[in-house]
């Protein structure tokens, strides 16, 4: 059943600078259902971060429209202006402030938004406890491992109770082993909180194991090359279990082919004489 919370219609975007124009996105249209976990993959520099910044409202599209329908079961007055749900944006680097404790980092968004109520503080404490950080709340970020810092960054984002979470390569600064366990943790957190999430990643295995659906973007200016629903016959979405699902290799090969076609086109274009 479709129950869209986000719809993009014919989005185009170019950067303009003194050096010229860089076309980043070309006629992008798709929709995301409430509670869906969407992954976006594509060649480096194709426009993935630009797309998330447009969804977050940080950049205005040059063409096209973004629409936030009110999901069906929530009634008609969930977001009163009916035009913008709360959006959380988590980036590759945790951007925790070293001079603040973990507690004061995770409550920063609430503090800035004047929402640091007793109830919200209690919710933050619950999140810290659930994700194994309560004993570290008075430590500084430098005293925590990379995985713990990423978890703290996620709690800071979740504390504002976003309806849509945007995750821009949030695990790429972590070493491989930490990445596997943190991505599994974070995905579990997002799913148990029933959040709608859009994850940009360059790791195909991560996309297959975490997402319900994967959008493959073409080289810049990005267009949607394909939209692949993922169905794995395993319970849960742990990255290790997913790799053992019978469907995993087929999805991996399909994605690898789509992405390599793009890389190949990019390389052969760049070595054409006179180009
Ligand atoms: P991705 O996240 O897929 O790696 P980006 O969305 O960051 O790609 O960037 C898409 C293209 O736009 C790249 O070629 C990048 O160099 C260019 N770009 C990104 N930000 C700017 C900017 N502020 N000014 C000019 N060009 C930019
Ligand atoms: Mg990027």
């Amino acid at each position: 059943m479709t129950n869209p919370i986000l719809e993009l219609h014919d989005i185009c975007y170019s950067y303009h600078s003194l050096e010229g124009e860089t076309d980043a996105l070309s006629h992008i249209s798709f929709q995301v259902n409430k509670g869906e976990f969407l992954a976006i993959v594509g060649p480096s520099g194709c426009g993935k971060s630009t797309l998330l910044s447009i969804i977050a409202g940080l950049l205005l599209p040059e063409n096209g429209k973004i629409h936030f329908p009110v999901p069906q079961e929530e009634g008609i007055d969930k977001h009163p202006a009916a035009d913008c749900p709360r959006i959380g944006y988590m980036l590759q680097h945790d951007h925790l402030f070293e001079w603040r404790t973990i507690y004061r980092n995770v409550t920063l968004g609430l503090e800035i938004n004047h929402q640091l109520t007793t109830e919200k503080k209690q919710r933050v404490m619950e999140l810290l406890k659930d994700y194994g950080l309560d004993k570290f709340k008075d430590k500084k970020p430098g005293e925590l491992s990379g995985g713990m810092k990423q978890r703290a960054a996620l709690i800071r984002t979740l504390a504002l109770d976003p309806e849509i979470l945007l995750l821009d390569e949030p695990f790429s600064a972590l070493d491989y082993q930490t990445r596997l366990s943190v991505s599994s943790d974070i995905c579990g957190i997002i799913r148990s909180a029933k959040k709608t999430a859009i994850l940009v990643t360059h790791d195909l295995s991560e996309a297959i194991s975490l997402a319900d659906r994967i959008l493959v973007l073409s080289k810049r200016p990005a267009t949607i090359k394909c939209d692949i629903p993922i169905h794995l016959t395993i319970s849960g979405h742990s990255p290790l279990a997913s790799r053992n699902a019978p469907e995993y290799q087929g999805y991996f090969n399909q994605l690898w082919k789509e992405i390599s076609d793009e890389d190949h086109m990019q390389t052969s274009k760049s070595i054409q004489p006179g180009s």
Side-chain angles (χ1 to χ4, degrees):
M1 191 188 89
T2 61
N3 189 13
I5 189 169
L6 166 68
E7 290 177 356
L8 281 79
H9 300 282
D10 207 27
I11 299 291
C12 299
Y13 190 83
S14 306
Y15 290 98
H16 302 272
S17 67
L18 290 175
E19 288 77 47
E21 192 175 295
T22 307
D23 292 333
L25 304 174
S26 174
H27 304 286
I28 301 270
S29 301
F30 65 91
Q31 67 174 43
V32 182
N33 285 316
K34 182 168 161 42
E36 193 170 34
F37 198 124
L38 177 77
I40 298 180
V41 300
S44 175
C46 76
K48 302 180 292 296
S49 299
T50 306
L51 184 56
L52 288 196
S53 295
I54 285 184
I55 295 171
L58 300 175
L59 294 174
L60 285 178
E62 288 185 327
N63 178 74
K65 269 206 154 65
I66 297 200
H67 178 49
F68 297 99
V70 180
Q72 277 161 28
E73 72 270 60
E74 291 187 351
I76 45 165
D77 52 359
K78 176 71 180 175
H79 26 267
D83 60 2
C84 195
R86 289 182 300 279
I87 293 179
Y89 200 170
M90 188 171 155
L91 303 165
Q92 181 173 353
H93 296 287
D94 53 66
H95 296 289
L96 298 173
F97 293 117
E98 193 50 45
W99 65 88
R100 294 176 77 105
T101 61
I102 290 301
Y103 179 76
R104 297 202 61 223
N105 263 288
V106 298
T107 51
L108 181 63
L110 291 170
E111 199 178 303
I112 291 171
N113 286 286
H114 307 291
Q115 292 178 15
L116 201 49
T117 58
T118 312
E119 195 182 289
K120 295 267 165 100
K121 284 183 191 165
Q122 210 171 333
R123 170 88 185 113
V124 164
M125 282 311 299
E126 275 167 24
L127 287 167
L128 285 167
K129 198 158 182 235
D130 286 354
Y131 309 126
L133 289 178
D134 53 329
K135 293 193 178 64
F136 298 86
K137 73 179 178 48
D138 299 320
K139 302 265 185 221
K140 295 284 173 60
E143 299 174 82
L144 269 63
S145 68
M148 289 163 112
K149 284 193 279 194
Q150 256 339 57
R151 252 180 277 165
L154 181 70
I155 293 173
R156 181 184 53 194
T157 312
L158 289 176
L160 286 160
D161 196 21
E163 286 154 87
I164 301 178
L165 263 172
L166 305 177
L167 306 156
D168 195 353
E169 309 217 29
F171 316 123
S172 56
L174 305 175
D175 64 75
Y176 184 69
Q177 249 171 331
T178 311
R179 189 184 174 115
L180 280 183
S181 75
V182 173
S183 63
S184 164
D185 273 7
I186 284 190
C187 180
I189 295 169
I190 292 170
R191 283 189 187 276
S192 66
K194 296 196 168 56
K195 298 289 178 196
T196 307
I198 304 180
L199 167 77
V200 163
T201 177
H202 60 260
D203 183 330
L204 302 184
S205 306
E206 190 169 279
I208 299 167
S209 59
L210 300 184
D212 299 314
R213 198 177 129 210
I214 303 178
L215 286 186
V216 180
L217 299 185
S218 71
K219 66 183 193 321
R220 192 177 63 75
T223 55
I224 294 180
K225 227 185 149 209
C226 49
D227 184 339
I228 306 171
I230 304 292
H231 299 289
L232 299 177
T233 48
I234 48 148
S235 57
H237 280 258
S238 107
L240 289 174
S242 301
R243 282 168 172 75
N244 293 324
E247 304 83 4
Y248 172 86
Q249 198 59 44
Y251 286 131
F252 190 93
N253 294 345
Q254 185 182 0
L255 287 165
W256 181 258
K257 184 173 178 317
E258 298 288 357
I259 299 267
S260 333
D261 282 354
E262 286 305 309
D263 280 346
H264 175 69
M265 278 161 67
Q266 218 161 10
T267 317
S268 47
K269 223 179 178 178
S270 65
I271 57 173
Q272 271 170 17
S275 68

